[in-house]
Amino acid sequence: MRRELHALILALLGATLFKLAWTGQYTRYVKPGVRGYLYAASVVALAVAAVTLWQSLARRRVAVPAHTDQGHSDSHHHSDDIGLDDGHGHQHGRFDVAWLLVVPMLVLLAIAPPALGSFSAARSGTALGAAPASNLPPLPDGDPVSLSVLDYASRAVFDHGRSLTGRHVTLSGFVLPGDAGTWYLTRMVITCCAADAQPIKVGLAGTVPDGLKPNDWLQVTGSYTTQQDRDPVNQAAIPFITVTSSTPIPTPARQYES
């Protein structure tokens, strides 16, 4: 039974990895570039599960139960290896704790947890902890220019907005409530996977839609302002953008920046 259980767990793991890669839900947990590796891992896990199950069933087919007294004695000793004797010849099988892995695997296969959002961002300081290389390149042509939240925040804090002055930019992210009615446009930034995710926060000055709720996604267009806040978690600088227009948007498929 133990080998069948191991095969089942491997099969569920492989199926889960394949589902996440196929549906694109894997981007909730890892960077987009690892999709091929997830497909490869799912194939390996499913192949190992199939081989393990086939070997276990083959052994069951060739096993011949003994009916002699000696065979009964041997069977009794064998049963002692897999169960507990209550003193009256009745065996009680031990519960294999590996079965406990089946439930979370089934849940993950059926329902993929959401990407990290405002709950995690509110408990982590903005990730602008150290200045990047100086001499940031100028913004590309166009008005407005689409930037990542990380790019805007880096230019606003470390370049003091020099490359942003006089330009209109467009950012998108989910909203996070701050003190005194302030809203922060936020994106989680990952290096490898969701385990190392950290938020980048940009304060919204100007006009924002009424009735905002944490985790609502917005696309905002605006311009640089010298206004800044201090993150209450790590005291790092949070730049602001003066919003001239904003539009609620659906949750994007790729919610993390990197």
Side-chain angles (χ1 to χ4, degrees), residues 194-214:
D196 59 36
Q198 292 181 290
I200 298 292
K201 308 170 187 178
V202 172
L204 300 179
T207 304
V208 295
D210 295 329
L212 283 179
K213 303 183 298 297

Side-chain angles (χ1 to χ4, degrees), residues 14-59:
T16 300
L17 293 176
F18 187 86
K19 176 200 171 187
L20 293 177
W22 179 263
T23 61
Q25 292 175 333
Y26 73 99
T27 56
R28 299 179 184 180
Y29 320 110
V30 293
K31 298 176 72 171
V34 304
R35 190 173 202 167
Y37 297 104
L38 291 179
Y39 275 128
S42 68
V43 170
V44 171
L46 290 171
V48 173
V51 171
T52 301
L53 182 60
W54 179 81
Q55 290 177 339
S56 179
L57 294 177
R59 290 179 180 178

Side-chain angles (χ1 to χ4, degrees), residues 67-196:
H67 297 286
T68 63
D69 292 340
Q70 181 62 41
H72 175 76
S73 176
D74 291 340
S75 176
H76 177 77
H77 287 298
H78 175 68
S79 66
D80 286 342
D81 292 336
I82 61 173
L84 297 175
D85 195 319
D86 62 5
H88 300 284
H90 301 122
Q91 297 295 323
H92 301 282
R94 293 190 182 98
F95 177 73
D96 195 329
V97 294
W99 280 104
L100 296 176
L101 295 174
V102 174
V103 175
M105 293 302 300
L106 284 172
V107 171
L108 185 59
L109 179 60
I111 305 172
L116 298 177
S118 62
F119 181 84
S120 298
R123 287 156 179 77
S124 303
T126 188
L128 290 177
S134 57
N135 300 323
L136 291 169
L139 294 181
D141 294 334
D143 190 79
V145 178
S146 293
L147 295 180
S148 68
V149 173
L150 175 59
D151 192 7
Y152 177 86
S154 298
R155 291 172 182 272
V157 173
F158 302 127
D159 195 40
H160 305 289
R162 282 189 287 265
S163 60
L164 299 169
T165 302
R167 303 294 301 274
H168 291 89
V169 298
T170 297
L171 313 176
S172 63
F174 63 87
V175 293
L176 171 69
D179 296 333
T182 301
W183 288 98
Y184 298 127
L185 192 72
T186 309
R187 291 295 284 261
M188 301 299 286
V189 176
I190 63 174
T191 301
C192 173
C193 60
D196 59 36

